[in-house]
Amino acid sequence: MSKIGVFVCHCGTNIANTVDVERAVASARELPGVAFASEYKYMCSEPGQQMIKDAIEEYGLDRVVIASCSPRMHETTFRKMLKDTKVNPYMLEIANIREQCSWVHTDKAKATEKAIRLIRMSVAKAARDEPLFASSIPIEKRALVIGGGIAGIQAALDIADAGHEVALLEREPSIGGKMAMLDKTFPTLDCSACISTPKMVDAGAHPNIKLLTSCEVVKTEGYIGNFQVTIRRNARYVNHDICTGCGLCETKCPVKTDSEFNHGLSKRPAIYKLFPQAVPSKPVIDKNSCLKLTKGKCGVCEKVCPLGCIDYADEDREFTETFGAIVFATGYELIDWTALYGEYGGGRYPDMLTGLQFERLVNASGPTEGHIVRPSDGKEPKTVAIVKCVGSRDPKKGKSYCSRACCMYAAKHAHQILDKLPGTRVFIFYIDVRTPGKGYEEFYDQTRKDGAIYVRGRISKIYKDGDKLVCNGEDTLLGKQVKVMADMVVLETAMTPSSGIEELATMFGVARDVNDWIQEAHPKLRPVETQVGGVFLAGTCQGPRDIPDTVAHASAAAAKVVSLLNKSEMETSPMISVVRREHCCGCGACEKICPYTAITLEEIDDRVGAKRVKRPIASVNSGLCQGCGACTAACRTGAIDLLGFRNAQILEEVDALCL
Amino acid sequence: MRKYSYFPGCSMESTAKPYRLATEYVMGKLGIGLVEIEDWNCCGATSGHTLSEALGLALPARSLALAEKRNPELDILTGCASCYARLRLAMYKARTDERAKYIIEKTIDMPYAAAREVYNFLDVFSLPDVREGIAERVVRKLTGLKAACYYGCLNVRPAEVTGAPDRENPTSMDEIVALTGAEPVDWAFKAECCGAAHQNDAASASRALPHRILRDAQSNGAEAIVTACPMCNLNLEMRQDGYVNRTGMDRIPVFSLSELLAVAMGASAKRIALEAHYVPSAAVLARALRRKDA
Amino acid sequence: MSVKETNDPKIIAFCCNWCTYTGADLAGLNRSHYPENVHIVRVPCSGRVNPQFILRAFRNGCDGVMVCGCHPGDCHYSTGNYFTRRRFTLMKRLLEYNGIDPGRFHARWISGSEAGKFRDTAEEVTAMVRKLGPNTRYREYARREMSADE
């Protein structure tokens, strides 16, 4: 007979207010196999844990049931505690009587009854617990950072500085991301490029960092410590091993196509560097616009290149590498407002810019060398309307969330206009002004003093009248309709997750939230981890944030990666599938259903009656099995079972409930 | 043959004579049967719902219930944006809001299942086969007629009721107009309120509304405005005196989509009583008919 | 012992540890109230749920069974819930064949962030099962078997 100890936690008043703990303990004492039952205010606390350890000693308990908060909260805590005792850490069951009982019910009598049933179920399962032993796997001491924006760069630098190898993967031809496009950063107004390019150069030159630009992840296998990631390097058509980045080819290329870095405000050649400070500072050929690659004629760059770097026969290439940890730093994109806001003209008017387009316009290295002029006619605007929350905080048309950075960069845009074009009238239409950050409120205040006119209300319609953009809206503080005849409109649009995030998240099995941002493991306590071991988050892939928060988040992710890579091996969960050979008929149903190819059929020598035969049976690779249990439900003979969640254990739970 | 229970609405019976005649002509050509709802009543626009929620729902629902009772297999069709808005809302509420359905059935003393859809002319003209039919029956092209398609706010809004794919920049009418050889212009006031409902009780607030629509159409090069609602049509025509005085712009003809199609399908000006328009519209159509393809 | 003749149904919910179990925890964190009738059994994946568990529950007089997993495409173990989906479409028909009202069995997709959906589902299933009344189908059989055990 097993000797089970039942420990019921009050969780302060969280449980005790709704569940009669004493009654729960009394009824637990009556259950078969229970040798001891007790209660305590906080089981997870030091004295609570000591109490359990003492009881194990005193009553010779061989398994433990703790009725408390969710096992997702403290299962690891209690397993660790059991390591110091005679009880195997896996001889533990947790009855979730907080999240799934006391917090969701109000009737004390009924909640107590339910708690008693939940404890009964856990006791029944515990009676069939068996000792399990974790094994360990080696950790590949390399990290892959996906996304070469400021988050990825920061995470890569921090991991590399700690002495581990990092591959920094970016699908564009250069690292730098969105921050490289920005002109100045709030609230200090230091030049974005001046603070980000040194970091880019550091990342490019760091002996521990390998840059994988023009690369994308196509496939991944494995698990924490051993991810096998297949990466595709898209053809560059330029041999970067010999190219010196002299730039002669770019000046001679006859093609002119929209520059993605300047968001269509200027043109670039088909052989190009993303921007002048690109890292690596070497050009690539855009296969969609290159005349040689699309029509088969031209070849000018090949002729002018003094080193013969041009290789039109270059092809996409796939290779597989192993990494111990992965950092998602895939960043954001701006929402496509043209598809959503027909009332703003749906993109018909060239003098309506997004925030990022305005950043390029006002940037000294941008298409107008920093002169704020209308793209349509090159004239300086006399009146500018800045519209905030376009696509943000708009559940009907866009996203319900706040994009967090727009209030501040809208103030910065207003400041820049007033600074470069004194006397310009700048209207900012807002819902609320949100400035939570060091020096942010002061910056906003200064912008108002500089002359920006803040109007509280959304813009309902923007249309063209002559060469003016008429903005109709409401000043909700005055309760009056307003109409601004603007020369230029800047839309501060919502941040959305980068394209391709769905595929990437699915590949790694990482969850996304309702808005497709990557879901962190816990909103407060595990903000840089995901549910998938070894996959971490840095920056805006997890949700909108500004640069200081992004950098902090990235460094935090790096710290997590470093603490993982500092270990040489790690424990794996022993809760994996096992095969009872004598019951296995070798049908192979489990082999087909296993998502990790952890099951193979192996041939064994067996005997049927007096005859010796060879027959196949299933065999589980403990390194690959992740413990999902899909095989157990597929098995016709019940030969394959999941340790920790054996068929018999779950059936015991079912029986215990139905008593 | 397509057939609908037809709700004409009061404007069709009075001020919108050219619209009514043209609709009859076009539907006849297209072989679309209109079965007028027997004993239909006022849809309740524009004041019913402001007085009482029950009245605002029950008035249109009564006609719908009658239609479903008499011709349970037919969807309901109307040519007026105001009627469409009221009828469609009654249908939507009866489907989605149990309380509203109870109020409706209690008030009209009839069951109303809301089993059939309520459509406007734009919905029907946009059906692929009807569109093909229109293209086939256009016998003379209105070449190069620069037309601003004015949908009227109530044909598209509110989106959850109408299900219109784009309530800010609808394009269905533009596509139909283009079948006649006319050139729909790109403009910004396709679905803006024309203020028809409040021209009498809140003149100062609503008089300027048609003016900005007329102005945006003309400044984008339109020679005429095409409407899908008799109320909009009336309002955009009748307010042009003030418009001309205030802005110094010229008058601009306004006529319904049905009229445009009727002319393209061969109807004479007389046949559809074009002379009944307040702003003469025959000339601009005749000019387009004379114009040769460039 | 046998299930009492009350209309307070017992419902068992097999919940995937990675999504619905988390969603139920979140419902707790949000203090979203739902009926006490729903009892969660934690499983690593909805694909772990063997039809045998469900048959056993119904045989024992359980009034309703839920199997809740990640949304199709979002399985923590990449494909487990696809098997769940297929398996329990067939399961419903097997139950019907055995005289168990299919309204007693529900397979649902509830993610870790959908606390509201978990609450709504718990309420909805409880209401539906309550309407169907106690599951007495195998009561006699179970009683006989149990007395034979003794």
Side-chain angles (χ1 to χ4, degrees):
Chain A
M1 191 73 178
S2 53
K3 293 184 101 177
I4 304 172
V6 179
F7 301 89
V8 185
C9 181
H10 291 239
C11 194
T13 55
N14 278 307
I15 291 170
N17 262 4
T18 337
V19 172
D20 183 341
V21 173
E22 275 160 31
R23 248 192 79 203
V25 171
S27 86
R29 277 202 192 103
E30 305 301 314
L31 294 172
V34 172
F36 177 76
S38 175
E39 57 179 292
Y40 189 68
K41 205 140 191 79
Y42 293 105
M43 277 302 168
C44 57
S45 68
E46 193 54 46
Q49 295 193 24
Q50 193 54 48
M51 195 190 103
I52 300 174
K53 287 190 207 164
D54 292 347
I56 290 171
E57 225 18 72
E58 196 178 336
Y59 298 94
L61 304 177
D62 64 353
R63 54 202 77 206
V64 171
V65 170
I66 298 173
S68 60
C69 53
S70 171
R72 300 179 54 82
M73 192 83 195
H74 276 312
E75 192 172 51
T76 352
T77 315
F78 292 125
R79 283 227 173 103
K80 257 187 207 148
M81 169 197 84
L82 290 177
K83 274 191 184 164
D84 306 336
T85 70
K86 286 175 193 154
V87 177
N88 179 281
Y90 293 89
M91 306 279 268
L92 164 77
E93 292 301 327
I94 293 188
N96 185 343
I97 61 165
R98 192 180 76 173
E99 280 86 346
Q100 294 172 10
C101 186
S102 73
W103 275 355
V104 287
H105 305 315
T106 44
D107 182 324
K108 191 160 183 176
K110 282 187 171 177
T112 306
E113 284 302 320
K114 176 169 169 182
I116 289 170
R117 288 194 293 270
L118 291 176
I119 293 170
R120 197 163 72 207
M121 288 161 76
S122 292
V123 167
K125 186 181 178 202
R128 290 200 181 244
D129 275 348
E130 60 209 307
L132 301 176
F133 301 93
S135 55
S136 59
I137 45 163
I139 288 177
E140 181 76 23
K141 289 176 172 290
R142 295 179 73 220
L144 171 68
V145 177
I146 305 172
I150 186 61
I153 293 171
Q154 183 67 40
L157 282 172
D158 287 351
I159 299 167
D161 283 343
H164 298 294
E165 273 181 50
V166 186
L168 179 55
L169 180 142
E170 167 60 55
R171 62 182 165 189
E172 295 294 332
S174 167
I175 59 169
K178 297 281 188 294
M179 189 176 172
M181 298 172 184
L182 307 184
D183 181 45
K184 292 201 160 53
T185 55
F186 61 78
T188 46
L189 291 175
D190 35 10
C191 139
S192 182
C194 312
I195 56 177
S196 70
T197 35
K199 278 199 183 283
M200 289 163 57
V201 173
D202 282 355
H206 202 295
N208 281 344
I209 298 180
K210 181 164 90 171
L211 289 189
L212 299 172
T213 51
S214 303
C215 284
E216 289 176 71
V217 176
V218 288
K219 203 177 95 187
T220 170
E221 282 174 354
Y223 43 86
I224 179 167
N226 292 279
F227 292 101
Q228 278 93 44
V229 183
T230 304
I231 295 166
R232 182 181 63 238
R233 204 212 68 193
N234 294 321
R236 295 173 172 139
Y237 307 101
V238 177
N239 186 342
H240 279 199
D241 294 338
I242 35 180
C243 174
T244 60
C246 71
L248 193 58
C249 50
E250 295 176 62
T251 59
K252 299 292 181 201
C253 176
V255 175
K256 292 279 168 274
T257 185
D258 277 348
S259 153
E260 39 288 81
F261 191 74
N262 284 334
H263 297 273
L265 291 175
S266 72
K267 301 282 180 194
R268 63 154 173 84
I271 183 163
Y272 72 111
K273 278 192 290 197
L274 199 58
F275 53 103
Q277 304 83 4
V279 174
S281 183
K282 293 168 188 181
V284 297
I285 294 179
D286 166 14
K287 68 175 174 196
N288 297 318
S289 59
C290 171
L291 291 176
K292 181 77 181 178
L293 292 169
T294 53
K295 299 199 176 106
K297 46 193 171 196
C298 181
V300 167
C301 48
E302 189 178 26
K303 279 178 214 129
V304 297
C305 178
L307 294 170
C309 310
I310 310 296
D311 172 16
Y312 296 121
D314 194 13
E315 281 176 349
D316 295 355
R317 200 162 52 78
E318 285 188 8
F319 52 97
T320 304
E321 293 192 8
T322 307
F323 300 98
I326 310 287
V327 179
F328 272 44
T330 50
Y332 72 96
E333 273 170 16
L334 293 183
I335 199 167
D336 180 12
W337 70 271
T338 57
L340 300 170
Y341 290 87
E343 65 268 43
Y344 294 173
R348 266 177 287 181
Y349 313 129
D351 296 331
M352 289 177 66
L353 306 174
T354 65
L356 275 180
Q357 285 178 315
F358 184 81
E359 292 287 345
R360 295 312 302 151
L361 191 71
V362 76
N363 192 303
S365 68
T368 60
E369 296 179 337
H371 296 297
I372 302 175
V373 292
R374 308 199 329 160
S376 65
D377 55 12
K379 286 188 193 147
E380 288 182 354
K382 298 267 180 293
T383 304
V384 180
I386 296 176
V387 187
K388 295 204 287 192
C389 302
V390 178
S392 310
R393 304 183 68 191
D394 188 355
K396 281 238 159 133
K397 297 200 131 186
K399 305 290 179 183
S400 50
Y401 54 80
C402 162
S403 291
R404 249 178 96 172
C406 334
C407 277
M408 284 309 293
Y409 70 68
K412 186 199 66 173
H413 289 165
H415 169 87
Q416 287 177 297
I417 297 166
L418 293 165
D419 184 46
K420 291 202 171 184
L421 303 173
T424 309
R425 293 198 309 159
V426 181
F427 294 90
I428 300 182
F429 291 91
Y430 68 98
I431 306 177
D432 293 295
V433 179
R434 296 178 169 178
T435 59
K438 212 165 152 183
Y440 289 11
E441 179 66 17
E442 294 87 332
F443 185 88
Y444 157 56
D445 208 35
Q446 187 57 46
T447 309
R448 273 191 310 174
K449 284 183 187 143
D450 291 345
I453 303 158
Y454 275 75
V455 184
R456 183 172 176 274
R458 268 185 199 272
I459 287 292
S460 61
K461 188 170 184 74
I462 299 173
Y463 62 97
K464 210 164 173 177
D465 192 0
D467 71 342
K468 295 282 184 190
L469 290 163
V470 185
C471 306
N472 285 340
E474 188 190 359
D475 186 329
T476 56
L477 295 179
L478 295 177
K480 282 199 167 153
Q481 295 202 4
V482 291
K483 185 176 190 177
V484 170
M485 308 286 278
D487 300 303
M488 181 188 276
V489 177
V490 183
L491 302 178
E492 314 295 28
T493 42
M495 293 190 200
T496 58
S498 283
S499 62
I501 192 71
E502 292 157 40
E503 292 83 353
L504 197 65
T506 312
M507 255 186 255
F508 283 95
V510 169
R512 288 170 282 134
D513 68 17
V514 286
N515 291 307
D516 277 343
W517 301 106
I518 303 289
Q519 182 77 49
E520 64 279 12
H522 189 283
K524 294 178 186 74
L525 302 178
R526 296 171 71 195
V528 295
E529 291 154 85
T530 65
Q531 295 284 14
V532 178
V535 180
F536 302 92
L537 301 175
T540 51
C541 61
Q542 185 255 341
R545 46 165 56 79
D546 58 16
I547 295 169
D549 287 0
T550 295
V551 172
H553 200 234
S555 285
K560 288 281 175 191
V561 171
V562 169
S563 67
L564 170 66
L565 297 189
N566 278 353
K567 295 179 202 150
S568 51
E569 52 184 26
M570 65 171 297
E571 275 194 359
T572 58
S573 166
M575 295 171 137
I576 55 169
S577 290
V578 283
V579 182
R580 250 165 93 183
R581 306 178 101 185
E582 61 275 26
H583 284 200
C584 178
C585 65
C587 70
C590 51
E591 185 192 18
K592 287 192 203 85
I593 209 169
C594 178
Y596 302 101
T597 59
I599 302 177
T600 45
L601 289 181
E602 69 176 38
E603 204 143 271
I604 58 157
D605 294 316
D606 202 0
R607 204 198 306 262
V608 176
K611 227 166 81 191
R612 284 179 166 280
V613 290
K614 281 190 183 297
R615 69 177 187 97
I617 60 154
S619 150
V620 177
N621 179 334
S622 61
L624 292 174
C625 177
Q626 300 290 297
C628 69
C631 50
T632 61
C635 182
R636 293 157 203 189
T637 59
I640 199 159
D641 211 347
L642 182 63
L643 296 175
F645 290 96
R646 277 192 185 271
N647 287 333
Q649 290 183 296
I650 297 176
L651 288 171
E652 287 286 1
E653 282 188 272
V654 173
D655 288 351
L657 171 69
C658 296
L659 276 179
Chain B
M1 185 173 127
R2 284 184 185 279
K3 241 171 140 182
Y4 293 93
S5 283
Y6 180 54
F7 184 90
C10 57
S11 305
M12 280 293 198
E13 301 284 291
S14 52
T15 54
K17 187 175 174 193
Y19 190 12
R20 176 168 59 85
L21 292 173
T23 299
E24 284 163 8
Y25 183 89
V26 171
M27 294 297 183
K29 284 266 178 197
L30 292 171
I32 295 175
L34 301 183
V35 184
E36 187 165 328
I37 301 169
E38 206 168 299
D39 194 29
W40 61 271
N41 57 271
C42 168
C43 71
T46 54
S47 48
H49 58 285
T50 59
L51 297 172
S52 137
E53 188 199 357
L55 185 66
L57 291 172
L59 278 169
R62 180 179 176 275
S63 302
L64 293 174
L66 286 173
E68 288 192 0
K69 193 167 148 196
R70 174 59 65 95
N71 294 107
E73 75 290 354
L74 296 187
D75 288 325
I76 292 99
L77 181 64
T78 181
C80 167
S82 293
C83 302
Y84 173 70
R86 298 318 306 166
L87 296 170
R88 182 102 190 162
L89 184 76
M91 175 202 86
Y92 174 79
K93 281 284 187 184
R95 282 181 186 177
T96 56
D97 182 345
E98 269 181 51
R99 189 183 140 266
K101 186 167 160 42
Y102 176 80
I103 292 174
I104 288 172
E105 295 189 333
K106 196 94 179 150
T107 317
I108 64 175
D109 202 16
M110 259 191 288
Y112 171 49
R116 307 308 316 184
E117 286 289 319
V118 175
Y119 292 123
N120 59 27
F121 287 177
L122 293 178
D123 295 330
V124 173
F125 290 156
S126 297
L127 296 169
D129 60 312
V130 177
R131 202 135 70 148
E132 243 168 65
I134 293 173
E136 279 167 20
R137 286 168 184 80
V138 168
V139 294
R140 38 186 197 171
K141 291 258 175 189
L142 294 161
T143 311
L145 173 70
K146 296 240 189 290
C149 294
Y150 178 69
Y151 293 71
C153 51
L154 293 175
N155 271 327
V156 288
R157 290 197 182 92
E160 58 269 32
V161 177
T162 63
D166 189 340
R167 58 195 185 277
E168 301 300 345
N169 186 25
T171 54
S172 58
M173 200 195 317
D174 296 62
E175 284 158 24
I176 301 161
V177 163
L179 297 175
T180 67
E183 288 175 18
V185 300
D186 192 9
W187 64 311
F189 280 77
K190 287 179 171 183
E192 219 64 8
C193 173
C194 74
H198 294 291
Q199 291 297 340
N200 294 323
D201 63 312
S204 63
S206 52
R207 279 289 149 85
L209 298 179
H211 294 176
R212 50 179 202 164
I213 294 169
L214 297 166
R215 190 181 141 88
D216 194 60
Q218 283 186 307
S219 55
N220 281 292
E223 302 171 82
I225 296 177
V226 184
T227 63
C229 166
M231 283 292 280
C232 304
N233 206 99
L234 176 76
N235 192 39
L236 290 179
E237 281 191 81
M238 297 294 286
R239 304 300 154 204
Q240 291 204 17
D241 283 349
Y243 171 65
V244 170
N245 285 339
R246 217 179 108 200
T247 60
M249 306 275 284
D250 292 331
R251 284 166 197 274
I252 176 168
V254 186
F255 41 79
S256 66
L257 177 60
S258 298
E259 290 159 66
L260 183 85
L261 293 178
V263 170
M265 290 178 184
S268 67
K270 197 155 177 202
R271 173 81 168 75
I272 58 170
L274 271 186
E275 76 282 357
H277 275 291
Y278 189 71
V279 178
S281 55
V284 70
L285 286 167
R287 199 159 64 230
L289 289 174
R290 279 198 303 275
R291 217 176 273 154
K292 289 277 168 284
D293 288 303
Chain C
M1 266 192 288
S2 71
V3 180
K4 266 184 255 140
E5 195 84 44
T6 60
N7 202 2
D8 202 23
K10 271 186 188 163
I11 295 167
I12 200 161
F14 296 98
C15 293
C16 159
N17 178 47
W18 305 100
C19 53
T20 316
Y21 195 91
T22 319
D25 277 356
L26 188 61
L29 208 65
N30 295 343
R31 310 297 196 273
S32 300
H33 296 163
Y34 56 85
E36 294 86 357
N37 308 66
V38 177
H39 302 78
I40 295 178
V41 170
R42 182 178 175 221
V43 287
C45 175
S46 58
R48 168 70 186 94
V49 181
N50 195 313
Q52 189 195 355
F53 304 163
I54 293 150
L55 293 173
R56 174 78 74 99
F58 283 127
R59 197 205 66 177
N60 285 2
C62 193
D63 303 293
V65 175
M66 289 157 68
V67 175
C68 304
C70 307
H71 287 268
D74 286 348
C75 178
H76 180 78
Y77 300 106
S78 69
T79 54
N81 53 5
Y82 290 128
F83 295 111
T84 314
R85 184 164 62 178
R86 258 182 265 167
R87 196 171 290 143
F88 293 119
T89 314
L90 290 173
M91 184 81 202
K92 270 203 146 115
R93 298 177 57 181
L94 176 68
L95 291 175
E96 215 171 349
Y97 178 76
N98 280 291
I100 304 263
D101 193 305
R104 295 190 186 277
F105 173 74
H106 297 268
R108 295 292 169 90
W109 316 124
I110 303 172
S111 80
S113 56
E114 292 175 323
K117 187 173 178 190
F118 180 80
R119 178 204 55 213
D120 294 345
T121 309
E123 280 176 353
E124 183 196 329
V125 171
T126 309
M128 203 180 294
V129 171
R130 183 164 281 148
K131 221 180 223 176
L132 292 171
N135 162 30
T136 54
R137 174 81 185 157
Y138 293 101
R139 174 101 32 99
E140 265 316 299
Y141 170 77
R143 191 174 291 156
R144 250 184 285 139
E145 191 190 50
M146 277 183 194
S147 53
D149 282 352
E150 283 159 13

